[in-house]
Amino acid sequence: MPALEGYDAVIVGGGHNGLVAAAYLARAGRSVLVLERLEHTGGAAVSTRPFAGVDARLSRYAYLVSLLPRKIVRDLELDFRVRARTVSSYTPVEREGRPGGLLVGGGERRTREAFARLTGSDREYESWRRFYGMTGRLAQRVFPTLTEPLPTRDELRRRIDDEEAWRALFEEPIGVAVETRFADDLVRGVVLTDALIGTFADAHDASLRQNRCFLYHVIGGGTGAWD
């Protein structure tokens, strides 16, 4: 039974978002009650043994935890470690009867060579570098806002201070930016993975929900890198 008759705040759900909210409220001197339907807190941040007879613990949160803002980690004195991936992705393909693929990661030279083998030139790789250079600069400006008061649209636009990036990622469907900058369909598909995964959207969907999904993937940690 609750120890108090009333609380300043009640948090429904003891997952990572609920626990962070409850911790900040408690640090601010508020009385907080966390309600969780399971016998333990943690939600997606708890590892489990999903396969009967297999002694392997897996976490649905493991590949997302690197996006947890470092400010929260410092404020709440959380103790965990993440590791950098050497390879971002590998996409196999068969062209003209020959198997191949596109490797992204393992160092700049390795990635450049993979693009050249796939496309026959450096053009797509240079477009890749320019495009993700743009998203990297955007990440530095946008990610810090996740732990700040929500900016207005105009405030965020001024903060980004890059009209090309604003138009490509906030005004037009992401499909326009991808098709304008990349010519190879496989490369386009790799870029669009971050926009379409889980959204069931079209690259040119007028709702721009694919843009929101893409932004989530490329701003993490202020660098866009996932550990």
Side-chain angles (χ1 to χ4, degrees):
M1 294 293 293
L4 303 177
E5 292 184 358
Y7 293 86
D8 295 320
V10 176
I11 306 296
V12 180
H16 51 284
N17 289 320
L19 293 175
V20 167
Y24 273 107
L25 286 164
R27 282 164 52 93
R30 302 292 190 267
S31 59
V32 186
L33 175 66
V34 177
L35 302 177
E36 170 56 52
R37 66 181 179 86
L38 300 177
E39 68 276 7
H40 57 76
T41 58
V46 174
S47 59
T48 59
R49 291 185 174 89
F51 309 114
V54 178
D55 188 21
R57 298 183 68 87
L58 306 178
S59 170
R60 288 176 291 169
Y61 192 53
Y63 93 112
L64 293 167
V65 72
S66 69
L67 303 184
L68 182 65
R70 297 304 302 175
K71 181 182 187 304
I72 294 176
V73 176
R74 291 191 300 268
D75 286 351
L76 302 187
E77 300 180 7
L78 304 180
D79 183 16
F80 66 91
R81 303 291 184 272
V82 294
R83 296 290 183 264
R85 300 182 301 174
T86 58
V87 172
S88 176
S89 67
Y90 177 74
T91 309
V93 68
E94 182 176 301
R95 290 183 173 175
E96 298 179 353
R98 295 193 303 271
L102 179 62
L103 175 75
V104 178
E108 181 178 353
R109 187 180 74 175
R110 197 174 177 187
T111 303
R112 179 185 290 275
E113 290 173 349
F115 271 81
R117 281 194 301 271
L118 176 73
T119 66
S121 75
D122 285 336
R123 179 187 177 279
E124 289 291 85
Y125 180 67
E126 291 302 328
S127 296
W128 178 278
R129 287 189 61 193
R130 287 192 297 272
F131 183 69
Y132 283 101
M134 178 182 73
T135 64
R137 292 187 295 274
L138 182 102
Q140 293 175 0
R141 293 168 171 81
V142 174
F143 189 73
T145 68
L146 300 186
T147 52
E148 298 172 358
L150 186 66
T152 66
R153 184 180 181 88
D154 288 341
E155 287 170 346
L156 185 61
R157 187 172 188 169
R158 286 193 297 271
R159 183 166 186 156
I160 292 171
D161 192 28
D162 184 332
E163 285 303 307
E164 179 187 9
W166 181 265
R167 183 179 66 257
L169 302 177
F170 292 84
E171 299 284 356
E172 299 175 338
I174 188 67
V176 175
V178 172
E179 291 175 2
T180 300
R181 289 164 173 78
F182 302 101
D184 187 274
D185 277 347
L186 183 77
V187 176
R188 289 174 171 178
V190 172
V191 177
L192 284 170
T193 298
D194 284 339
L196 305 184
I197 188 167
T199 65
F200 302 100
D202 185 279
H204 294 274
D205 196 311
S207 73
L208 302 187
R209 67 179 185 271
Q210 71 279 24
N211 292 46
R212 293 192 289 274
C213 183
F214 183 79
L215 284 167
Y216 173 77
H217 281 94
V218 300
I219 68 170
T223 65
W226 287 51
D227 296 336

